[in-house]
Amino acid sequence: MTEFTLKETMSSGGAEDDIPQGERKTVTDFCYLLDKSKQLFNGLRDLPQYGQKQWQSYFGRTFDVYTKLWKFQQQHRQVLDNRYGLKRWQIGEIASKIGQLYYHYYLRTSETSYLNEAFSFYSAIRQRSYYSQVNKEDRPELVVKKLRYYARFIVVCLLLNKMDVVKDLVKELSDEIEDYTHRFNTEDQVEWNLVLQEVAAFIEADPVMVLNDDNTIVITSNRLTETGAPLLEQGMIVGQLSLADALIIGNCNNQVKFSELTVDMFRMLQALEREPMNLASQMNKPGIQESADKPTRRENPHKYLLYKPTFSQLYTFLAASFKELPANSVLLIYLSATGVFPTGRSDGEGPYDFGGVLTNSNRDIINGDAIHKRNQSHKEMHCLHPGDLYPFTRKPLFIIVDSSNSVAYKNFTNLFGQPLVCLLSPTTYPKALQDQSQRGSLFTLFLNNPLMAFLFVSGLSSMRRGLWEKCQEYLRKINRDIAQLLTHSRSIDQAFLQFFGDEFLRLLLTRFVFCSATMRMHKAFRETRNYPESYPQLPRDETVENPHLQKHILELASILDVRNIFFENSMDDY
């Protein structure tokens, strides 16, 4: 039941019988809506995390009740203040729950517009100081509600790239934590300080700052815009597949994370989303749209974000995605994880003999980045081998592996003849760049923000906005040229072209080629294992070592005055 009753909150001067019937009904109705909303909200935890259909009607009912509750407390605020003793923090709790609903709806649908709605409610709580009186109450559990609200608000702001707001929230949260730990001798002080440290490291993960003329930092977004992906031009013959589902898996040792989202996962999820639109202009309430009101196509591919999943969890989500994948659609699997290497010599060269990547860390066996188990006969349970993905190649599959053992996936076999591509990171980087791995992988940074990655390998840590925009424009030209190289190649595997019709995959493929070409020309990248690879292999002379593309990269380096760190042509390599 609710925390307050009519009897408890009656003004001391009046008897219960003196309360007008209408006001009594208002309080009763409010209590019913509040109880119902809590019951439905708590039930969200019991919904399966995978599958896209079972949960929608339940979310719709929950939104309905919270919408009624929110409007009800607005319309009857005075009665509820007088007869129920409604406190501002309780209004804040309702708004916070609605913000959480929108955020979880975003997680379920990958529609970035719902993040804007979550931001609106969280922002209103702060602007209207709904939680301001909590610190005067001698109840630590209420202060924890306030701290959790801050943490959730920060996650939403990070996802919306509202870094200025994030910095303000972090300062406020720090003050709140200090006050909380000073007033209440609690055991969770260390945990809350860890939250602060994690978000501070997350904010500083980008290796390059873009600055305005007044030295304020420019916030750059890396979601897909209308001008982001190179357009398909006349004569480009590509497949009609579209990216429908993606699994983003993260388990990198010591990589910066916040709220079960590593930097690599964060960057990849943004690479698979469009810039958010205003929700009101395109949709009705979540979960209860009429079919006529539904958008003609999904704005973004649906995503599962899996932080350190066990093998059984990963396989369950994979199977759910595979089962629900529509016709002519692609499933993308992104793996950012520690490498697991083969144990000793193997008699065969099968899909389980090259190791793989570790998706869930069993702490007692980890020592450094690589897992070697030479003295044990059994294989690591939570290692995802290339062979584990074979059953899912019955449908179009696009795999990205960012790992110290990514090359294990070079030994793939396409058993079912469906389009299949694996983009594989370098397995090691030049020593000068290795120390930066905590701030995210260079390979994933190239796929998310290729210009920032290019600046980073060029030794640049800041840049003026005007030059940044000039370089971005030149990079768009490079992307257009890469698209032509790929589609006009006579020896390229058709799988690449099958995926090229989808905007997201087209952008990932062109960025992959740019990344590979840049690393091959860079003087610090001297070893073969410093270069990305792919399955099937790309024809090098027509793509990553194409003289026309190399010339473009040198031009970009010239604009930045870093041409001296690149080889002038591929012949310098040999």
Side-chain angles (χ1 to χ4, degrees):
M1 286 295 290
T2 49
E3 295 174 46
F4 297 85
T5 65
L6 184 63
K7 191 178 268 187
E8 286 168 345
T9 56
M10 253 189 345
S11 55
S12 55
E16 188 177 350
D17 293 341
D18 294 340
I19 299 174
Q21 189 65 30
E23 293 185 7
R24 188 192 304 277
K25 185 176 185 308
T26 296
V27 174
T28 305
D29 289 350
F30 177 75
C31 288
Y32 169 78
L33 285 172
L34 192 59
D35 282 338
K36 186 70 177 171
S37 67
K38 287 180 179 178
Q39 178 189 337
L40 285 166
F41 191 89
N42 291 336
L44 292 172
R45 299 188 189 113
D46 301 325
L47 294 176
Q49 294 299 306
Y50 50 86
Q52 296 178 39
K53 292 176 183 162
Q54 306 96 316
W55 55 270
Q56 280 191 311
S57 60
Y58 192 95
F59 254 87
R61 291 205 307 278
T62 310
F63 265 108
D64 267 352
V65 171
Y66 270 97
T67 301
K68 288 174 186 171
L69 178 64
W70 186 252
K71 288 179 179 174
F72 194 89
Q73 64 82 21
Q74 285 179 317
Q75 291 164 356
H76 304 283
R77 181 74 57 82
Q78 191 170 355
V79 173
L80 293 172
D81 282 349
N82 294 337
R83 303 300 187 188
Y84 177 81
L86 185 67
K87 299 193 175 181
R88 289 189 68 73
W89 68 260
Q90 290 175 295
I91 302 170
E93 272 296 279
I94 297 169
S96 181
K97 288 284 198 299
I98 295 172
Q100 288 176 62
L101 273 176
Y102 275 116
Y103 172 66
H104 284 287
Y105 205 79
Y106 156 74
L107 290 180
R108 295 262 184 180
T109 63
S110 300
E111 297 305 335
T112 39
S113 306
Y114 295 116
L115 281 174
N116 281 334
E117 298 302 306
F119 177 82
S120 296
F121 275 89
Y122 284 148
S123 199
I125 292 169
R126 183 165 168 247
Q127 288 167 359
R128 298 172 191 175
S129 306
Y130 282 138
Y131 281 122
S132 61
Q133 300 301 310
V134 161
N135 295 22
K136 294 181 181 177
E137 310 231 5
D138 193 27
R139 294 172 62 186
E141 72 276 11
L142 289 186
V143 183
V144 170
K145 285 178 186 283
K146 184 177 186 178
L147 299 182
R148 286 178 177 161
Y149 149 73
Y150 268 107
R152 292 182 181 117
F153 193 8
I154 287 169
V155 171
V156 168
C157 290
L158 283 172
L159 289 166
L160 286 170
N161 292 306
K162 294 183 182 288
M163 293 304 176
D164 293 345
V165 183
V166 171
K167 287 171 184 173
D168 291 341
L169 291 175
V170 169
K171 187 176 183 310
E172 290 172 26
L173 177 58
S174 178
D175 293 341
E176 292 290 346
I177 291 171
E178 192 175 332
D179 180 68
Y180 167 63
T181 53
H182 180 70
R183 288 175 57 218
F184 306 102
N185 189 17
T186 62
E187 296 178 359
D188 56 355
Q189 178 179 355
V190 174
E191 292 172 36
W192 281 110
N193 283 329
L194 183 62
V195 168
L196 281 177
Q197 290 167 22
E198 284 184 346
V199 71
F202 209 94
I203 294 168
E204 294 171 6
D206 281 352
V208 179
M209 287 187 298
V210 184
L211 301 171
N212 285 308
D213 291 338
D214 60 359
N215 283 340
T216 55
I217 296 173
V218 178
I219 308 302
T220 59
S221 173
N222 302 304
R223 287 189 170 93
L224 182 64
T225 59
E226 289 181 11
T227 59
L231 296 173
L232 291 176
E233 297 174 14
Q234 198 168 4
M236 289 184 177
I237 300 170
V238 298
Q240 300 301 308
L241 297 171
S242 63
L243 179 59
D245 234 46
L247 271 77
I248 296 178
I249 299 144
N251 179 34
C252 274
N253 283 346
N254 303 321
Q255 191 175 105
V256 169
K257 64 168 264 299
F258 183 62
S259 182
E260 300 209 330
L261 200 63
T262 65
V263 172
D264 280 355
M265 293 171 70
F266 176 74
R267 286 174 176 158
M268 186 48 60
L269 82 85
Q270 296 223 330
L272 299 178
E273 292 181 346
R274 299 175 194 278
E275 277 298 323
M277 293 169 59
N278 182 356
L279 185 65
S281 67
Q282 64 168 8
M283 289 191 183
N284 293 330
K285 268 184 294 184
I288 47 176
Q289 303 170 65
E290 296 300 323
S291 57
D293 295 321
K294 287 187 179 176
T296 52
R297 63 178 175 83
R298 181 184 281 282
E299 271 296 303
N300 298 316
H302 172 263
K303 296 183 299 297
Y304 290 119
L305 305 176
L306 303 178
Y307 177 64
K308 300 195 177 210
T310 62
F311 177 78
S312 57
Q313 287 171 332
L314 177 51
Y315 234 55
T316 301
F317 280 87
L318 257 174
S321 285
F322 181 84
K323 179 186 175 187
E324 297 191 348
L325 198 69
N328 299 316
S329 295
V330 181
L331 171 61
L332 182 146
I333 301 171
Y334 168 79
L335 293 159
S336 162
T338 300
V340 180
F341 296 88
T343 56
R345 292 186 178 180
S346 172
D347 295 334
E349 290 198 345
Y352 289 88
D353 294 322
F354 297 96
V357 300
L358 190 73
T359 63
N360 183 273
S361 305
N362 192 346
R363 286 180 188 169
D364 59 346
I365 61 162
I366 287 199
N367 182 15
D369 182 49
I371 312 292
H372 296 272
K373 300 184 73 173
R374 293 189 180 91
N375 300 325
Q376 297 187 30
S377 57
H378 62 275
K379 286 184 164 72
E380 166 57 47
M381 178 183 173
H382 299 301
C383 171
L384 190 75
H385 296 267
D388 293 325
L389 298 179
Y390 277 19
F392 304 101
T393 60
R394 287 173 169 85
K395 293 182 181 180
L397 195 61
F398 194 98
I399 302 168
I400 301 171
V401 186
D402 196 336
S403 172
S404 54
N405 191 29
S406 59
V407 289
Y409 290 79
K410 196 169 65 170
N411 304 290
F412 234 102
T413 305
N414 190 341
L415 299 175
F416 300 99
Q418 290 290 324
L420 171 66
V421 161
C422 303
L423 305 183
L424 312 172
S425 72
T427 55
T428 185
Y429 292 100
K431 285 184 179 176
L433 301 173
Q434 285 173 1
D435 297 340
Q436 299 295 321
S437 58
Q438 277 190 311
R439 298 167 75 176
S441 160
L442 177 60
F443 179 67
T444 293
L445 184 60
F446 261 104
L447 297 181
N448 161 263
N449 189 338
L451 181 54
M452 185 171 285
F454 190 87
L455 296 175
F456 176 57
V457 298
S458 301
L460 300 171
S461 59
S462 65
M463 166 167 292
R464 292 290 167 193
R465 182 175 193 157
L467 185 56
W468 171 270
E469 288 172 353
K470 179 182 178 183
C471 291
Q472 282 285 35
E473 187 58 44
Y474 194 78
L475 196 55
R476 278 191 281 273
K477 172 180 166 49
I478 292 176
N479 270 342
R480 288 195 296 271
D481 286 354
I482 291 173
Q484 289 190 340
L485 290 177
L486 291 173
T487 52
H488 293 166
S489 167
R490 295 183 179 181
S491 54
I492 193 170
D493 191 288
Q494 288 301 299
F496 291 100
L497 301 182
Q498 290 276 63
F499 292 124
F500 213 70
D502 180 88
E503 274 185 288
F504 293 105
L505 300 180
R506 184 158 72 248
L507 197 54
L508 288 173
L509 286 168
T510 54
R511 286 173 173 175
F512 173 81
V513 171
F514 174 72
C515 168
S516 190
T518 298
M519 289 177 177
R520 286 169 185 277
M521 293 181 68
H522 198 293
K523 290 178 180 177
F525 291 72
R526 299 307 306 126
E527 301 179 53
T528 308
R529 46 192 199 142
N530 293 159
Y531 307 144
E533 298 198 50
S534 66
Y535 169 87
Q537 285 192 339
L538 283 165
R540 281 191 203 168
D541 56 335
E542 295 181 349
T543 56
V544 296
E545 291 180 359
N546 179 276
H548 184 65
L549 175 56
Q550 290 175 335
K551 184 183 173 188
H552 279 327
I553 290 172
L554 289 174
E555 282 297 316
L556 181 59
S558 295
I559 295 171
L560 297 166
D561 199 23
V562 292
R563 187 164 177 148
N564 60 310
I565 64 171
F566 293 94
F567 289 111
E568 284 295 319
N569 61 63
S570 58
M571 293 309 293
D572 292 352
D573 262 346
Y574 306 105

